[in-house]
């Protein structure tokens, strides 16, 4: 964020993380935005599926912001870089930065009355911005042509790419110092540690189902007098917890729906607030189950 050109990024609407080769979240920054955290592993997994694992090369950087491929909202642009060691993919480093504008008909791209994603912003499915260390100028020009503040945005992109270089370099330093076996094992152990900690906490709670609901004011393209219900049932059973969102209202016509990755992120953050001693990584997701039927506001 120190080298970002836009104020929204330089003031902190940015997050960083690293994931294992499967895309599981290993660790994230201490000052990261809560809404980003639970989506970052979904970003990596969605990008791997989109571009194909076999095609990923050293020096590649993938750019994406698609909420339905594992992002958050269209302004949160993600860059993902694979980290190789002696020819082996050992990790991914990535970041998310909220761009000042992501295209579409409304400056800032917060278009609450958009009837679909096509009327909201430029959606970037996972695409290589950098190919084996070489910036793809065609992709860069395509993106910058579709945003209102290309100079600021280009500066933010350069900052995101620089952050990936730092992340990769620091990980290489650890691999050089401790060896591939130790680092890879530690990443897996940290995830398992979080899962054990959280399951231990669940086991101390009283079994049962606990319910809560709240409301979004209204659907901007629907009945403005009818609130949109968001309901969750949290079931504790032994050392497992299930978040059931099947009681939520159907998806809205306008842009107030949550993609699956954001709903998952909300669950992770709620647990982080209750159990702050549990490291935030994929171990939390492994400890819970989500009931998220298709077609709902979440």
């Amino acid at each position: 964020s120190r080298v970002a050109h836009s104020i929204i990024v330089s003031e902190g609407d940015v997050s960083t993380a690293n994931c294992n080769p499967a895309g599981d979240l290993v660790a994230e920054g201490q000052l990261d935005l809560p809404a980003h955290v639970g989506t970052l592993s979904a970003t990596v997994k969605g990008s791997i599926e989109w571009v194909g694992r076999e095609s990923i090369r050293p020096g590649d950087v993938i750019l994406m912001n698609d909420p339905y491929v594992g992002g958050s909202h269209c302004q949160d642009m993600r860059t993902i870089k694979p980290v190789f060691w002696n020819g082996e993919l050992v990790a991914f480093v990535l970041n998310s930065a909220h761009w000042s504008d992501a295209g579409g008909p409304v400056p800032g791209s917060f278009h609450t009355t958009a009837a679909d994603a096509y009327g909201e912003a430029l959606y970037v499915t996972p695409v290589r911005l950098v190919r084996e260390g070489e910036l793809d100028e065609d992709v860069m020009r395509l993106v910058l042509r579709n945003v209102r503040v290309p100079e600021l945005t280009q500066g933010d992109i350069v900052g995101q790419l620089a952050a990936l270089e730092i992340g990769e370099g620091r990980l290489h330093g650890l691999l050089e110092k401790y060896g591939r076996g130790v680092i890879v094992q530690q990443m897996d152990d940290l995830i398992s540690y979080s899962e054990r900690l959280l399951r231990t906490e669940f086991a101390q709670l009283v079994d049962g189902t606990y319910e809560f609901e709240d409301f979004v004011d209204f659907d901007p393209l629907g009945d403005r007098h009818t609130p949109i219900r968001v309901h969750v049932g949290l079931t504790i059973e032994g050392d497992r917890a299930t978040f059931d969102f099947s009681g939520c209202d159907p998806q809205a016509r306008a842009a107030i729906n949550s993609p699956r990755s954001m709903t998952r992120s909300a669950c992770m953050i709620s647990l982080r607030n209750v159990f702050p001693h549990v490291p935030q990584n994929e171990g939390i997701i492994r400890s819970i189950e989500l009931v998220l039927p298709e077609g709902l506001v979440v």
Side-chain angles (χ1 to χ4, degrees):
S1 63
R2 293 180 180 178
V3 298
H5 285 212
S6 64
I7 291 177
I8 192 168
V9 178
S10 64
E11 289 301 307
D13 199 340
V14 61
S15 299
T16 60
N18 67 294
C19 295
N20 66 16
D24 297 327
L25 180 67
V26 175
E28 42 89 16
Q30 292 298 308
L31 299 177
D32 285 353
L33 262 66
H36 290 169
V37 172
T39 65
L40 293 176
S41 64
T43 293
V44 175
K45 292 177 181 180
S47 297
I48 292 172
E49 183 177 357
W50 191 274
V51 304
R53 179 181 297 275
E54 68 286 348
S55 71
I56 297 173
R57 299 286 183 268
D60 285 354
V61 174
I62 296 169
L63 180 75
M64 72 88 77
N65 75 336
D66 194 324
Y68 295 96
V69 187
S72 47
H73 63 167
C74 57
Q75 297 94 330
D76 285 342
M77 196 69 71
R78 278 87 193 277
T79 55
I80 308 107
K81 186 172 189 178
V83 178
F84 284 80
W85 187 251
N86 294 329
E88 177 192 4
L89 176 64
V90 295
F92 290 90
V93 292
L94 70 151
N95 55 58
S96 176
H98 182 123
W99 286 5
S100 299
D101 185 83
V106 176
S109 308
F110 282 110
H111 191 193
T112 57
T113 57
D116 54 39
Y118 301 103
E120 187 175 16
L122 172 68
Y123 279 93
V124 180
T125 56
V127 61
R128 287 176 181 81
L129 177 62
V130 180
R131 295 175 178 271
E132 298 185 60
E134 295 294 327
L135 180 68
D136 191 320
E137 296 286 356
D138 289 337
V139 173
M140 178 73 90
R141 282 192 289 266
L142 173 65
V143 172
L144 295 181
R145 178 63 180 85
N146 280 279
V147 299
R148 291 174 174 82
V149 283
E151 295 83 5
L152 287 179
T153 302
Q154 185 170 16
D156 288 343
I157 293 176
V158 171
Q160 289 183 262
L161 295 178
L164 296 178
E165 293 288 335
I166 291 173
E168 180 186 45
R170 289 177 177 173
L171 191 51
H172 279 167
L174 291 173
L175 289 161
E176 180 72 38
K177 183 175 182 179
Y178 296 106
R180 178 259 179 210
V182 170
I183 297 303
V184 170
Q185 186 63 52
Q186 285 295 307
M187 289 193 291
D188 291 340
D189 287 349
L190 182 58
I191 293 173
S192 298
Y193 176 63
S194 290
E195 181 178 3
R196 290 196 305 273
L197 281 179
L198 193 52
R199 287 187 181 279
T200 299
E201 295 291 350
F202 290 156
Q204 298 179 59
L205 301 177
V206 178
D207 285 358
T209 298
Y210 309 88
E211 298 183 72
F212 178 79
E213 68 180 22
D214 206 341
F215 294 85
V216 181
D217 290 345
F218 56 83
D219 179 350
L221 289 178
D223 180 3
R224 288 178 172 256
H225 301 288
T226 303
I228 306 298
R229 181 177 188 241
V230 179
H231 179 275
V232 61
L234 171 60
T235 298
I236 301 295
E237 185 176 2
D239 65 352
R240 294 203 64 84
T242 300
F243 291 82
D244 186 350
F245 291 92
S246 57
C248 293
D249 277 349
Q251 66 185 39
R253 292 176 58 204
I256 62 171
N257 300 297
S258 172
R260 186 175 298 269
S261 55
M262 281 295 291
T263 303
R264 185 183 81 159
S265 184
C267 296
M268 291 184 70
I269 293 305
S270 68
L271 292 170
R272 176 64 180 271
N273 281 293
V274 177
F275 307 111
H277 61 287
V278 178
Q280 185 88 353
N281 58 44
E282 203 75 15
I284 295 177
I285 290 297
R286 294 180 183 179
S287 305
I288 64 176
E289 294 181 10
L290 300 181
V291 179
L292 280 172
E294 294 289 336
L296 301 181
V297 70
V298 292

